[in-house]
């Protein structure tokens, strides 16, 4: 099908969060080649940026998707967060509220006239390849979906030439197995369900995990809680922390209302909050799609995006520890260059060799644990450049990594202050403290 100019490719996009919107925006820019059909189970665009007070199920009985909490401010500044072709409003501060990011995504959808492609309140139930020729990538895709107000028997099916999966990966909590959990006397919650610090007033709380969420939520809770302990296996945070916040090693076990850390320190606590991340989940992909998730590794995806057996099944947003919106843009353009035939993929065998090489390099050279198969951090810029080069499109501006690195450095040393309006980013490596009287 690729390269057949007489045929407009019908492309199903699953999800209208930042990734799905970005896919739709680029597909829609070539109407002679592509027709996007976006499926979104929420009532509006924005995905994880749609804050809700609901924590378990929404009013339609669906599991709550968003992990946003009331006071969340972005941990990336707007200067690097934006899609390359759609800057944030200049009058906004560098670090944004979730409402401001949601508004940005709504503005993006409106600016590129994307809402007309989106079927809202429509949940994708299943996706299945239907082989149309002996060549294995010659398939069409059955996409089964239903209105969220309809019964689960009311599934409609439509066929598409290609599918781009953009369903996010911060919706299904990863729950570790800790000895003593089932008989623990206190509350155990996951950060996915965290909404307000007031719910933890005067509580003694341990947050397990010092990723971005663990640190940010601990700092948000500290002004209300009696005591906050951040338990993790990383090097201790170097920044100053609130007076009632301390750090401890990982948890050895739980007993009654006590947590026993790996250094045998014991603390009586009211709440254990698991800031232990999320699982990749694609409940709608049928077994025939041949997508496996093993130890947080989604296989087999060439360049973390293209299914090696079915190149017309692709994914945006699988990587972690990234600057998401700019990377989504690179991935969308990369996928489109395959769909429109302007880029020829290597053979399936070559692609699988490339994946194994990348994975083994992570495990052996970088000494990453298995679950870091899609973790990017400072590798993201080369990866983005590679996608852009292969897709023959303009790479992301060099200014983005410079600002990203500067913010990271500043954050590590000033966890309590780096998001406030006391600081202003004045250039790639420059940061100015704003004097209060100026
Ligand atoms: P999502 O936003 O999760 O969107 C996926 C969409 O798919 C949802 O709308 C969902 O309803 C829909 N969907 C899922 N399954 C189905 C189905 N079966 N049928 C139909 N629709 C479906 N990024 C930053 O750049 N800066 C930050 O400061 C930042 N802070 C963050 C803080 C938190 C707490 C979290 C959780 C994430 C943060 N991120 C941040 C990362 C954020 O996830 C990305 O920026 C980005 O919004 C992810 O977009 P996405 O489209 O991949 O996923």
């Amino acid at each position: 099908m690729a390269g057949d100019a007489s045929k407009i490719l019908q492309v199903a996009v699953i999800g209208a969060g930042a990734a799905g919107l970005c896919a739709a925006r680029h597909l829609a820019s070539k109407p002679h080649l592509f027709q996007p059909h976006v499926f979104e189970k929420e009532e509006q665009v924005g995905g994880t940026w749609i804050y809700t007070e609901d924590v378990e199920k929404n009013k339609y009985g669906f599991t709550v998707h968003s992990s946003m909490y009331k006071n969340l401010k972005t941990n990336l500044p707007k200067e690097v967060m934006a899609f390359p072709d759609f800057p944030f409003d200049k009058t906004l501060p560098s670090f944004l509220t979730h409402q401001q990011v949601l508004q940005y995504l709504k503005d993006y959808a409106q600016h590129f006239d994307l809402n007309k492609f989106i079927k809202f309140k429509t949940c994708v139930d299943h996706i299945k390849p239907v082989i149309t020729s002996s060549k294995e990538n010659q398939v069409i895709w059955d996409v089964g979906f239903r209105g969220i107000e309809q019964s689960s028997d009311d599934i409609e099916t439509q066929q598409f030439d290609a599918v781009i999966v953009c369903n996010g990966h911060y919706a299904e909590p990863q729950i570790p197995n800790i000895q003593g959990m089932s008989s623990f006397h206190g509350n155990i919650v996951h950060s996915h369900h965290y909404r307000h610090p007031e719910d933890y007033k005067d509580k003694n709380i341990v947050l397990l995990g010092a990723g971005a969420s663990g640190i940010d939520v601990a700092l948000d809770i500290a002004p209300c809680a009696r005591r906050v302990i951040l338990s993790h296996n990383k090097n201790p945070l170097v920044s100053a922390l609130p007076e009632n916040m301390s750090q401890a090693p990982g948890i050895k076990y739980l007993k009654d209302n006590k947590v026993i850390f790996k250094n045998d320190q014991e603390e009586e606590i009211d709440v254990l909050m698991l800031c232990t991340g999320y699982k990749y989940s694609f409940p709608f992909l049928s077994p025939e799609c041949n997508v496996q998730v093993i130890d947080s590794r989604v296989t087999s995806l060439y360049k973390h995006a293209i299914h090696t057996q079915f190149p017309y099944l692709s994914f945006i947003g699988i990587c972690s520890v990234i600057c998401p919106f700019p990377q989504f843009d690179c991935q969308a353009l990369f996928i489109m260059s395959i769909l429109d035939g302007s880029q020829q993929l290597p053979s399936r065998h070559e692609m699988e060799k490339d994946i194994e090489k990348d994975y083994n390099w992570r495990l052996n050279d970088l000494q990453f644990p298995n679950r870091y198969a899609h973790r990017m951090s400072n590798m993201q810029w080369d990866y983005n450049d590679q996608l852009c080069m292969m897709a023959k499109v303009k790479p992301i501006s060099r200014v983005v990594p410079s600002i990203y690195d500067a913010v990271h450095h500043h954050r590590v040393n000033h966890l309590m202050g780096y998001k406030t309006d006391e600081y202003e980013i004045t250039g790639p490596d420059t940061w100015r403290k704003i004097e209060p009287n100026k």
Side-chain angles (χ1 to χ4, degrees):
M1 259 172 276
D4 178 358
S6 61
K7 183 169 186 341
I8 294 177
L9 233 57
Q10 305 297 319
V11 186
V13 176
I14 319 305
L21 290 175
C22 180
R25 176 255 177 277
H26 288 296
L27 291 167
S29 72
K30 293 191 173 172
H32 55 296
L33 293 178
F34 304 116
Q35 169 77 35
H37 304 257
V38 185
F39 295 91
E40 173 51 62
K41 62 183 159 76
E42 300 285 338
E43 298 170 344
Q44 54 176 317
V45 303
T48 203
W49 296 98
I50 307 170
Y51 175 79
T52 169
E53 289 284 331
D54 297 334
V55 285
E56 299 280 354
K57 301 271 180 196
N58 66 16
K59 61 181 175 190
Y60 302 105
F62 283 79
T63 309
V64 167
H65 183 83
S66 176
S67 308
M68 287 296 134
Y69 51 90
K70 189 164 148 255
N71 298 332
L72 180 133
K73 275 194 173 182
T74 59
N75 50 25
L76 293 174
K78 72 172 198 291
E79 289 77 5
V80 302
M81 239 185 98
F83 289 113
D85 52 6
F86 195 71
F88 278 91
D89 180 342
K90 278 201 182 80
T91 61
L92 291 172
S94 284
F95 294 93
L96 306 162
T97 62
H98 55 77
Q99 291 93 336
Q100 288 165 332
V101 181
L102 180 61
Q103 188 56 50
Y104 167 83
L105 292 172
K106 286 181 178 173
D107 292 346
Y108 180 86
Q110 198 182 8
H111 178 81
F112 292 109
D113 199 11
L114 305 177
N115 289 313
K116 64 183 183 211
F117 301 118
I118 308 174
K119 265 189 199 310
F120 287 106
K121 294 168 80 173
T122 305
C123 182
V124 170
D125 174 80
H126 65 264
I127 297 179
K128 197 173 156 188
V130 180
I131 311 281
T132 57
S133 112
S134 54
K135 273 192 168 176
E136 60 182 9
N137 66 350
Q138 295 281 294
V139 298
I140 48 170
W141 296 89
D142 266 358
V143 175
F145 55 90
R146 69 167 167 115
I148 57 174
E149 285 153 315
Q150 276 151 332
S151 97
S152 50
D153 301 329
D154 260 337
I155 309 283
E156 214 179 304
T157 303
Q158 222 175 305
Q159 294 197 321
F160 295 93
D161 300 304
V163 173
I164 308 181
V165 177
C166 304
N167 67 328
H169 56 91
Y170 295 113
E172 194 167 323
Q174 176 88 48
I175 309 290
N177 190 7
I178 305 171
Q179 188 189 329
M181 244 172 136
S182 54
S183 53
F184 181 61
H185 293 181
N187 279 339
I188 301 184
V189 291
H190 190 277
S191 56
H192 182 53
H193 301 131
Y194 173 63
R195 296 291 181 268
H196 325 101
E198 297 79 18
D199 297 341
Y200 300 90
K201 193 166 161 37
D202 295 330
K203 302 277 187 219
N204 291 315
I205 170 161
V206 166
L207 295 100
L208 177 62
S213 288
I215 296 173
D216 284 355
V217 172
L219 293 171
D220 195 46
I221 286 186
C224 280
R226 174 170 299 148
R227 218 176 139 206
V228 174
I229 303 176
L230 186 64
S231 161
H232 62 96
N233 296 317
K234 300 183 174 173
N235 291 331
L237 305 176
V238 294
S239 166
L241 297 173
E243 275 184 3
N244 61 342
M245 180 169 159
S246 59
Q247 300 180 68
I251 295 175
K252 202 175 195 177
Y253 62 95
L254 303 170
K255 190 166 189 318
D256 304 331
N257 63 343
K258 282 198 205 120
V259 56
I260 295 89
F261 298 101
K262 286 182 179 166
N263 60 357
D264 291 326
Q265 174 192 342
E266 289 187 13
E267 297 290 346
E268 287 188 5
I269 61 164
D270 303 298
V271 182
L272 170 62
M273 187 179 291
L274 304 170
C275 304
T276 42
Y278 295 84
K279 292 194 250 189
Y280 291 102
S281 174
F282 310 102
F284 44 81
L285 294 182
S286 70
E288 293 87 341
C289 293
N290 193 14
V291 172
Q292 272 87 39
V293 181
I294 303 163
D295 226 354
S296 297
R297 183 183 185 209
V298 187
T299 61
S300 267
L301 301 186
Y302 179 58
K303 303 293 172 201
H304 309 272
I306 307 288
H307 193 296
T308 54
Q309 183 183 351
F310 302 116
Y312 278 24
L313 173 62
S314 54
F315 297 73
I316 298 180
I318 292 291
C319 299
S320 61
V321 194
I322 53 165
C323 212
F325 300 1
Q327 182 168 100
F328 296 170
D329 208 69
C330 301
Q331 290 178 327
L333 290 165
F334 174 68
I335 289 166
M336 272 180 53
S337 73
I338 290 152
L339 297 181
D340 70 14
S342 60
Q343 187 197 158
Q344 290 303 312
L345 283 172
S347 68
R348 180 175 173 189
H349 176 69
E350 288 298 323
M351 290 193 281
E352 284 171 0
K353 253 173 56 183
D354 186 84
I355 295 169
E356 283 315 302
K357 192 173 154 206
D358 176 69
Y359 188 53
N360 288 329
W361 173 63
R362 287 163 179 274
L363 297 185
N364 302 328
D365 295 26
L366 304 176
Q367 299 280 299
F368 277 2
N370 292 14
R371 64 177 195 279
Y372 281 12
H374 304 292
R375 186 188 172 91
M376 285 287 160
S377 189
N378 55 8
M379 295 181 271
Q380 62 182 306
W381 314 114
D382 283 350
Y383 166 77
N384 294 342
D385 282 355
Q386 207 185 7
L387 296 187
C388 292
M389 203 178 70
M390 292 167 83
K392 303 184 192 71
V393 295
K394 202 170 142 221
I396 294 173
S397 160
R398 289 294 97 206
V399 172
V400 173
S402 309
I403 294 180
Y404 181 91
D405 288 346
V407 170
H408 177 73
H409 179 76
H410 194 66
R411 174 172 192 268
V412 166
N413 294 296
H414 302 280
L415 279 172
M416 287 160 71
Y418 82 102
K419 289 185 190 179
T420 65
D421 298 334
E422 278 174 55
Y423 293 96
E424 185 186 30
I425 297 165
T426 49
D429 282 317
T430 50
W431 206 293
R432 189 171 71 95
K433 186 164 170 66
I434 302 167
E435 299 304 330
N437 57 351
K438 287 193 181 165

Coordinates of all heavy atoms in Angstrom, one line a residue, residues 3 5 13 30 37 44 51 88 92 137 148 193 210 220 223 235 256 311 337 340 353 370 383 401:
G3 N 3.2 4.2 -0.7 CA 3.6 4.8 -2.0 C 2.6 4.8 -3.0 O 2.7 5.4 -4.1
A5 N 0.0 6.4 -4.5 CA -0.6 7.8 -4.4 C -2.1 7.8 -4.6 O -2.7 8.8 -4.2 CB 0.2 8.7 -5.3
V13 N -6.0 6.1 15.0 CA -5.1 6.6 16.1 C -5.8 6.4 17.4 O -7.0 6.8 17.6 CB -4.8 8.1 15.9 CG1 -4.0 8.7 17.1 CG2 -4.2 8.4 14.6
K30 N -1.3 16.0 5.4 CA -1.1 15.4 4.0 C -2.5 14.7 3.6 O -2.5 13.5 3.6 CB 0.0 14.4 4.0 CG 1.4 15.0 4.2 CD 2.5 14.1 3.9 CE 3.8 14.8 3.9 NZ 5.0 13.8 3.8
H37 N -8.3 8.9 11.9 CA -9.6 8.6 12.6 C -9.1 8.4 14.1 O -8.5 7.3 14.4 CB -10.2 7.3 12.1 CG -10.5 7.3 10.7 ND1 -11.8 7.5 10.2 CD2 -9.7 7.2 9.6 CE1 -11.8 7.5 8.9 NE2 -10.5 7.3 8.5
Q44 N -13.0 14.8 26.0 CA -12.2 16.0 25.5 C -10.7 15.5 25.2 O -10.3 14.4 25.6 CB -12.1 17.1 26.5 CG -11.7 16.7 27.9 CD -11.6 17.9 28.9 OE1 -11.1 18.9 28.5 NE2 -12.0 17.7 30.1
Y51 N -7.4 16.8 34.6 CA -7.5 16.6 36.0 C -8.9 16.1 36.4 O -9.9 16.6 35.9 CB -7.2 17.9 36.8 CG -7.3 17.7 38.2 CD1 -6.4 17.1 39.0 CD2 -8.5 18.2 38.9 CE1 -6.6 17.0 40.4 CE2 -8.7 18.0 40.2 CZ -7.7 17.4 41.0 OH -7.9 17.3 42.3
F88 N 4.2 27.6 23.4 CA 3.2 28.0 24.5 C 3.1 29.5 24.4 O 4.0 30.2 23.9 CB 3.8 27.6 25.9 CG 3.5 26.2 26.2 CD1 4.4 25.2 26.0 CD2 2.3 25.9 26.9 CE1 4.1 23.8 26.3 CE2 2.0 24.5 27.3 CZ 2.9 23.5 27.0
L92 N 2.9 33.1 29.6 CA 2.8 32.1 30.7 C 4.2 32.0 31.4 O 5.2 32.2 30.8 CB 2.5 30.7 30.1 CG 1.0 30.5 29.6 CD1 0.9 29.2 28.9 CD2 0.0 30.7 30.7
N137 N 3.3 -8.1 5.8 CA 2.8 -6.7 6.2 C 1.6 -6.2 5.4 O 1.2 -5.1 5.6 CB 4.0 -5.8 6.2 CG 4.5 -5.5 4.8 OD1 4.1 -6.3 3.9 ND2 5.4 -4.6 4.6
I148 N -18.8 5.0 25.2 CA -18.7 4.6 26.6 C -20.0 4.5 27.4 O -20.0 3.9 28.4 CB -17.7 5.6 27.3 CG1 -18.2 7.0 27.2 CG2 -16.3 5.4 26.8 CD1 -17.3 8.0 28.1
H193 N -3.4 7.8 42.5 CA -4.6 8.2 43.1 C -4.4 9.4 44.0 O -5.4 9.8 44.7 CB -5.1 7.0 44.0 CG -5.4 5.8 43.2 ND1 -4.9 4.5 43.5 CD2 -6.0 5.6 42.0 CE1 -5.3 3.7 42.6 NE2 -5.9 4.3 41.6
A210 N 11.8 7.5 44.3 CA 12.3 8.9 44.1 C 12.4 9.3 42.7 O 13.3 9.9 42.3 CB 13.6 9.1 44.9
D220 N 4.9 18.2 47.7 CA 3.5 18.8 47.7 C 2.8 18.5 49.1 O 2.1 19.3 49.6 CB 2.7 18.2 46.6 CG 1.4 19.0 46.3 OD1 1.5 20.2 46.2 OD2 0.4 18.3 46.1
P223 N 3.9 20.3 53.4 CA 3.4 21.4 54.2 C 2.2 20.9 55.0 O 1.8 21.6 56.0 CB 2.9 22.4 53.1 CG 3.7 22.1 51.9 CD 4.0 20.6 51.9
N235 N 21.0 7.3 45.0 CA 21.9 8.1 45.9 C 21.0 9.2 46.6 O 20.0 9.6 46.0 CB 22.9 8.9 45.0 CG 23.9 7.9 44.5 OD1 24.2 6.9 45.1 ND2 24.5 8.2 43.3
D256 N 2.6 -4.7 61.1 CA 1.6 -3.9 61.8 C 1.5 -2.5 61.2 O 1.2 -2.4 60.0 CB 1.9 -3.8 63.3 CG 2.1 -5.2 63.9 OD1 1.4 -6.1 63.4 OD2 2.9 -5.4 64.9
P311 N 4.6 -3.5 10.2 CA 5.1 -2.1 10.2 C 4.0 -1.1 10.2 O 4.2 0.1 10.5 CB 6.0 -2.0 9.0 CG 6.4 -3.4 8.7 CD 5.2 -4.3 9.1
S337 N 6.7 8.8 7.6 CA 7.6 8.6 6.4 C 7.6 7.1 6.0 O 7.9 6.8 4.9 CB 9.1 9.0 6.8 OG 9.7 8.1 7.7
D340 N 4.0 6.7 4.2 CA 3.9 7.3 2.8 C 4.9 6.8 1.9 O 5.0 7.2 0.7 CB 3.9 8.8 2.9 CG 5.3 9.4 3.3 OD1 6.3 8.7 3.2 OD2 5.3 10.6 3.6
K353 N 17.5 -7.3 14.8 CA 18.9 -7.3 15.2 C 19.2 -5.9 15.9 O 19.9 -5.8 16.9 CB 19.8 -7.5 14.0 CG 20.4 -8.8 14.0 CD 21.2 -9.2 12.8 CE 22.3 -8.2 12.4 NZ 22.9 -8.6 11.1
N370 N 16.7 -4.6 33.4 CA 15.8 -5.0 32.3 C 14.7 -4.0 32.0 O 14.4 -3.8 30.8 CB 15.2 -6.4 32.5 CG 16.2 -7.5 32.5 OD1 17.4 -7.2 32.6 ND2 15.7 -8.7 32.5
Y383 N 18.6 9.9 19.7 CA 17.5 9.1 19.2 C 16.5 9.9 18.3 O 16.2 9.6 17.2 CB 16.7 8.4 20.4 CG 15.4 7.8 20.1 CD1 15.3 6.6 19.4 CD2 14.2 8.5 20.4 CE1 14.0 6.1 19.1 CE2 13.0 8.0 20.1 CZ 12.9 6.8 19.5 OH 11.6 6.3 19.2
P401 N 17.8 20.6 24.1 CA 18.6 19.9 25.0 C 19.4 20.7 26.0 O 19.6 20.4 27.1 CB 19.6 19.0 24.1 CG 19.3 19.4 22.7 CD 18.1 20.2 22.7

